[in-house]
Amino acid sequence: MPPIPLAARLVITWLAIFPLVAIAQAILQPLLADWPQLLVTAAVMTVVVPAAVTVAVPALSRAYLALTGRRASVAGDA
């Protein structure tokens, strides 16, 4: 994958993390209402970080590259 400029990476990361955090909080908050806030945050992050790193950020990065006309390298390309 070609390098993505820092400003674009920041936006991509924010666009991946924010909705995932909002959704995870909405789902987990009722289940963890009695937990201390620090543990609720840890639980939300336990769900959000793997989802962001493995699915959301790569998908948004590919979309960015497609929109900007750059080509993502495919396994096996030299």
Side-chain angles (χ1 to χ4, degrees):
M1 187 177 293
I4 297 174
L6 178 61
R9 284 184 290 162
L10 291 170
V11 172
I12 288 168
T13 302
W14 190 90
L15 288 171
I17 298 282
F18 181 77
L20 290 173
V21 168
I23 292 166
Q25 282 181 328
I27 292 169
L28 293 176
Q29 190 64 42
L31 301 171
L32 308 176
D34 296 333
W35 288 26
Q37 186 60 43
L38 187 61
L39 291 179
V40 172
T41 301
V44 167
M45 295 308 293
T46 299
V47 172
V48 168
V49 170
V53 170
T54 60
V55 178
V57 171
L60 289 170
S61 295
R62 284 190 299 275
Y64 170 81
L65 293 172
L67 288 171
T68 59
R70 295 201 229 166
R71 186 166 145 359
S73 62
V74 177
D77 281 356

